[in-house]
Amino acid sequence: MMADVEIKITGLAELDRALERFPLELQRKELAGAWRKAGKIMAEDAKDRAPVRVATHEGFGKASGEHIRAPGFLKASIRLTVRTINGIPTALIGWSRAAFYGAFQEFGTSRQAAKPFMRPAFDSTAPAVIREFAFHLRLGIERTAKKLYAKGK
């Protein structure tokens, strides 16, 4: 017979303390999973805000031999990636290398004013991302604690 395991976690500080009880590999796994789920909120908002060029009836290409980017390419290239940086799982949201011109849109150039879409996406979704991250991390900690408790018995 297995006893129920109850873990009460209320805030981010409590999540951090509860997470520290686990082996490092399990900590990283739970953090990465929570970032994958929470980061989708910002990635989707950034995609919604990404500029899309209107195609003309002549097509979207330039002179022959140059790379052609279809309208919506920047929007479609926005991705969420979770990588471990300095031992800490980190959510990275950005565009692919092929959509390098996203930086020109976001930050501007000497000839083009900035038309940011990533920063506004971050600003508008940060509270929801934090709530979602805490929620999924809490679920992951509880799930992992139950598994470890079951193995110990």
Side-chain angles (χ1 to χ4, degrees), residues 83-95:
R83 294 227 170 98
T84 302
I85 300 173
N86 295 328
I88 300 169
T90 305
L92 304 171
I93 300 169
W95 48 82

Side-chain angles (χ1 to χ4, degrees), residues 42-51 75-79 117:
M42 186 191 154
E44 289 303 315
D45 193 49
K47 283 182 180 184
D48 290 343
R49 293 171 186 266
K75 177 182 233 164
S77 77
I78 295 173
R79 300 277 188 264
F117 59 97

